[in-house]
């Protein structure tokens, strides 16, 4: 009876009234801790998978952005800046042209007015302009619109007209050479060689960029590699299969080069051999590129019809969705079967143009990549 009385007393004690519910709630607290731990595991896994998908998509599409910007640069801005070296080197009009009021012009203009090089706007009279402002969304790259000898209008299209194989295409202005001294031995030979060297190098850059992009986009190697390196639950050869399949059709972007085989230059025929002697008119200097440099001479590159369609889709955004595996949990519940977890994003490749074609015509190297949820 004494022991029973002590038990009844303890139960009636206020401290016991707190202790008993605490003992009963202890399993609930332990359960909550396990739930928090398992929830944290699920959240960490999803965050990791989301980062992997974002990183993979950005890496792969950034390769396309880099390639398109590089092609846009070699399509005019790069050779233009190189050929501007001749903007301060003048050629003089012959006596009759001088009497008609013609003033000295730059060697650069001999090529520009003949369709040899496109320029950055806005001044298309001389073609000599300052670099565009950083915020500019239209560089106005085009050939001389006043070229009547061999107009480039059919070139300045999304699907340009390729010159015939047996046709000699002039890259200098015959009209200007008829009016100005441009002697072959003393001046023209060196300048023409530099022009050819410039475009050979530009063509080499284009070929290198095309090769690299083809390699990094093959089987979406950058996408798979980036996803694999940021997760630990997939095999390298089989990683991110679903999202890779969603992106693959849009990154196989191809460009076609417009190249010239037969090119016509001009030099002035100076009878006396003196720059102030009698001017005999322009002489044709015809060169076959496949014989001279063993390849055709690059001019610019353009997107094929399929690639233009893909870029329009990329401009609107491609939704990527990737399911992932969840780690095992303490309660042995198959969350994947019940909730089918996945991560997603929308990857956008765009430039400041409604049709999302900033490669050709009027190239603008301002493609950028954006990721949306």
């Amino acid at each position: 009876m004494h022991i029973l009385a002590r038990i009844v007393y303890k139960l009636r004690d206020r401290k016991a009234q707190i202790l008993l519910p605490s003992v009963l709630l202890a399993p609930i607290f332990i359960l909550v801790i396990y739930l928090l731990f398992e929830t944290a595991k699920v959240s960490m896994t999803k965050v990791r998978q989301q980062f992997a998908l974002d990183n993979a998509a950005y890496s792969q599409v950034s390769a396309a952005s880099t390639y398109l910007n590089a092609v846009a640069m070699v399509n005019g801005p790069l050779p233009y800046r190189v050929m501007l070296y001749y903007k301060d080197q003048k050629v003089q009009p012959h006596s009759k042209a001088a009497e008609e009021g013609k003033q000295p012009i730059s060697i650069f203009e001999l090529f520009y007015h003949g369709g040899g090089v496109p320029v950055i706007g806005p001044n298309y009279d001389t073609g000599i302009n300052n670099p565009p402002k950083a915020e500019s969304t239209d560089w106005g790259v085009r050939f001389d619109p006043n070229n009547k000898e061999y107009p480039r209008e059919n070139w300045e299209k999304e699907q340009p007209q390729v010159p015939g194989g047996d046709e000699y295409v002039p890259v200098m202005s015959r009209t200007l050479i008829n009016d100005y001294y441009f002697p072959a031995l003393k001046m023209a030979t060196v300048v023409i060689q530099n022009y050819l060297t410039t475009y050979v190098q530009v063509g080499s850059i284009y070929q290198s960029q095309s090769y690299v992009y083809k390699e990094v986009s093959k089987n979406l190697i950058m996408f798979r590699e980036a996803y694999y390196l940021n997760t630990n639950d997939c095999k390298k050869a089989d990683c991110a299969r679903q999202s890779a399949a969603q992106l693959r059709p849009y990154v196989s972007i191809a460009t076609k080069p417009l190249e010239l085989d037969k090119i016509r230059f001009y030099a002035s025929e100076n009878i006396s051999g003196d720059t102030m002697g009698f001017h005999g008119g322009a002489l044709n200097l015809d060169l076959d590129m496949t014989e001279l440099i063993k390849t055709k001479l690059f001019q610019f590159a353009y997107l094929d019809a399929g690639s233009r369609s893909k870029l329009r889709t990329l401009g609107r955004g491609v939704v990527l969705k990737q399911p992932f595996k969840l780690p095992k949990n303490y309660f042995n519940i198959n969350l994947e079967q019940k909730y089918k977890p996945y991560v997603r994003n929308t990857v956008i490749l765009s430039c400041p143009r409604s049709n999302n074609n900033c490669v050709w015509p009027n190239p603008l190297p301002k493609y950028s990549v954006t990721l949306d949820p």
Side-chain angles (χ1 to χ4, degrees):
M1 291 295 294
H2 180 71
I3 295 174
L4 181 62
R6 287 181 62 85
I7 292 174
V8 171
Y9 174 77
K10 284 293 183 181
L11 291 175
R12 288 178 178 178
D13 189 8
R14 290 185 178 181
K15 293 182 179 180
Q17 293 177 6
I18 298 175
L19 178 63
L20 183 61
S22 300
V23 172
L24 294 176
L25 288 174
I28 298 177
F29 286 131
I30 295 173
L31 180 62
V32 169
I33 291 173
Y34 272 108
L35 284 173
L36 289 174
F37 178 74
E38 296 298 338
T39 301
K41 283 170 58 178
V42 171
S43 297
M44 289 173 61
T45 301
K46 183 171 183 180
V47 169
R48 187 171 190 172
Q49 295 287 335
Q50 185 67 60
F51 176 79
L53 181 63
D54 291 346
N55 186 273
Y58 189 86
S59 298
Q60 187 67 65
V61 180
S62 288
S65 173
T66 300
Y67 174 62
L68 294 173
N69 286 334
V71 176
M73 279 298 295
V74 301
N75 275 353
L78 178 58
Y80 169 63
R81 299 307 301 178
V82 175
M83 289 301 295
L84 270 183
Y85 167 78
Y86 290 108
K87 68 182 177 64
D88 296 321
Q89 300 185 34
K90 304 294 184 179
V91 289
Q92 302 295 324
H94 60 70
S95 56
K96 185 177 179 181
E99 291 173 1
E100 294 173 353
K102 289 184 170 57
Q103 300 297 318
I105 62 172
S106 66
I107 294 177
F108 169 79
E109 292 180 72
L110 300 180
F111 287 91
Y112 164 59
H113 293 303
V117 60
V119 303
I120 292 173
N123 178 8
Y124 298 107
D125 291 333
T126 64
I128 299 173
N129 295 284
N130 294 322
K133 295 182 179 179
E135 65 274 13
S136 174
T137 57
D138 185 0
W139 290 7
V141 178
R142 64 178 305 185
F143 291 99
D144 182 7
N146 300 313
N147 179 8
K148 306 300 182 184
E149 299 176 31
Y150 194 101
R152 279 0 189 220
E153 293 177 358
N154 291 331
W155 289 15
E156 295 181 308
K157 297 178 180 179
E158 287 190 332
Q159 191 71 35
Q161 181 177 336
V162 180
D166 296 330
E167 180 181 11
Y168 279 93
V169 179
V171 294
M172 298 180 69
S173 171
R174 183 183 183 88
T175 301
L176 291 179
I177 301 299
N178 276 329
D179 290 336
Y180 290 85
Y181 290 110
F182 192 57
L185 296 179
K186 292 187 176 181
M187 185 180 296
T189 303
V190 175
V191 175
I192 290 172
Q193 182 179 355
N194 289 339
Y195 174 85
L196 291 174
T197 301
T198 296
Y199 269 93
V200 166
Q201 292 297 328
V202 169
S204 177
I205 294 172
Y206 166 73
Q207 294 294 342
S208 298
Q209 292 291 330
S210 297
Y211 173 79
V212 170
Y213 180 67
K214 185 178 180 180
E215 290 299 310
V216 300
S217 60
K218 185 186 300 181
N219 199 28
L220 265 73
I221 183 172
M222 291 188 68
F223 185 91
R224 292 176 175 275
E225 189 77 17
Y227 204 103
Y228 169 77
L229 291 174
N230 284 287
T231 57
N232 59 356
D233 62 350
C234 64
K235 297 180 180 179
K236 190 172 184 179
D238 195 46
C239 213
R241 179 184 294 273
Q242 180 172 319
S243 52
Q246 294 162 348
L247 183 60
R248 183 180 291 107
Y250 303 104
V251 298
S252 55
I253 298 171
T255 59
K256 295 182 177 180
L258 188 145
E259 300 170 313
L260 300 179
D261 184 14
K262 300 181 183 298
I263 299 180
R264 176 165 292 165
F265 297 91
Y266 300 106
S268 59
E269 182 183 13
N270 195 336
I271 301 300
S272 70
D274 185 8
T275 56
M276 299 306 292
F278 175 75
H279 192 288
L283 287 175
N284 292 355
L285 299 179
D286 295 341
L287 299 177
D288 290 358
M289 294 296 101
T290 51
E291 294 181 5
L292 183 64
I293 60 174
K294 309 306 179 184
T295 184
K296 294 181 179 180
L297 190 67
F298 175 86
Q299 294 291 286
F300 59 86
Y302 57 95
L303 295 163
D304 59 28
S307 296
R308 294 196 298 270
S309 176
K310 294 171 185 176
L311 280 177
R312 286 193 291 270
T313 302
L314 282 168
R316 295 188 294 268
V318 175
V319 178
L320 305 180
K321 182 178 178 181
Q322 179 61 44
F324 62 91
K325 296 178 181 179
L326 288 172
K328 293 182 179 180
N329 55 73
Y330 177 80
F331 305 99
N332 201 27
I333 299 175
N334 191 339
L335 296 176
E336 293 179 33
Q337 183 178 3
K338 186 173 183 180
Y339 296 106
K340 296 180 175 56
Y342 66 88
V343 289
R344 57 168 284 168
N345 64 20
T346 301
V347 59
I348 301 170
L349 173 63
S350 61
C351 75
R353 200 119 351 125
S354 59
N355 62 356
N356 208 26
N357 179 7
C358 289
V359 176
W360 186 264
N362 190 11
L364 180 68
K366 288 199 172 185
Y367 279 96
S368 60
V369 181
T370 306
L371 290 177
D372 288 342

